[in-house]
Amino acid sequence: MADLGLFGIYVPNEYGGAAWIISHMLSPSRNMQVDGSHGATVAAGNSLGIGPIYYYGSKKQKEQWLPASAP
């Protein structure tokens, strides 16, 4: 899923993300139609893993962690 760019799809380009807000909403639901665990993995990775750094991290933390988290 990371190879497809599904993690960090709402993260801005400057941090290595795709900056696709709509895709962030559609990707997990589309994945869940095929396999619920895949959709849950993408949703959790984006909201629980990447989200706190993106929303609350310092600029230095974002520069360090987001490019690796949002391939």
Side-chain angles (χ1 to χ4, degrees):
M1 291 181 283
D3 290 343
L4 296 173
L6 297 178
F7 293 103
I9 52 182
Y10 67 93
V11 174
N13 293 329
E14 67 183 291
Y15 296 118
W20 297 345
I21 299 298
I22 298 299
S23 295
H24 174 58
M25 295 181 287
L26 296 177
S27 175
S29 64
R30 183 68 179 139
N31 284 328
M32 285 186 185
Q33 289 177 349
V34 177
D35 184 339
S37 65
H38 286 196
T41 299
V42 171
N46 282 312
S47 62
L48 299 174
I50 297 170
I53 298 169
Y54 174 65
Y55 290 115
Y56 306 110
S58 67
K59 183 168 177 65
K60 183 178 178 180
Q61 289 170 325
K62 291 177 184 181
E63 290 171 351
Q64 179 180 0
W65 295 106
L66 289 180
S69 301

